[in-house]
Amino acid sequence: MKTRTTAFLITAALAVYFVLLGGRAVVLLGTGDPVGIGLGVGVLVLPLIGVWIAWTNLRFGFVTERMARQLADEGALPDTSGLPRRPSGRVDREAADAWFEERRAEVEAAPEDWRRWFALAQAYDLAGDRGRARETMRKAIDLFQVPKNHV
């Protein structure tokens, strides 16, 4: 199943859950009891936080996908197919480290180029550092979405 389809199915399931949870919150708020109202407010906050988390993650995926399409159209999508791999399919650690250093040098040379940050995020991912990969991709997204007249 494609990642996009999976994301939409999970989001749909979450939407149903959030509606049901919101319904429970309304019932609790309607009790008039201070404890019920307090619980209702608490239960109502959970779907709101869930919607915000789902939206930010979906937005991250959509923008990253749009960036990858643009890079592919430009013929500039980072290519890691030539890197040596272990039997597990993961890139060899030394090769990933070397590829990372090249990408980091590119970012240092052009810190306002979202394409360089995109490649650096991929390098972090290859190195197994998913947290920094997402953080770096967020920087690429910020630069990608800056209007051209502000650069």
Side-chain angles (χ1 to χ4, degrees), residues 54-77:
W55 169 248
T56 57
N57 281 296
L58 286 171
R59 182 183 161 276
F60 179 89
F62 291 144
V63 176
T64 301
E65 189 176 83
R66 190 173 51 204
M67 292 164 62
R69 272 195 313 271
Q70 182 173 331
L71 285 172
D73 291 346
E74 295 172 356
L77 196 60

Side-chain angles (χ1 to χ4, degrees), residues 58-133:
L58 286 171
R59 182 183 161 276
F60 179 89
F62 291 144
V63 176
T64 301
E65 189 176 83
R66 190 173 51 204
M67 292 164 62
R69 272 195 313 271
Q70 182 173 331
L71 285 172
D73 291 346
E74 295 172 356
L77 196 60
D79 182 20
T80 60
S81 62
L83 296 176
R85 299 192 179 265
R86 292 187 244 162
S88 66
R90 298 219 14 106
V91 173
D92 177 70
R93 181 67 182 187
E94 289 180 16
D97 289 346
W99 201 77
F100 171 83
E101 289 302 326
E102 291 171 12
R103 302 300 75 81
R104 188 172 67 162
E106 290 173 356
V107 165
E108 289 172 357
E112 297 303 314
D113 186 354
W114 68 267
R115 292 163 183 83
R116 304 291 185 231
W117 285 95
F118 186 98
L120 183 62
Q122 189 173 4
Y124 272 122
D125 189 58
L126 282 176
D129 192 341
R130 305 271 189 243
R132 284 194 179 137

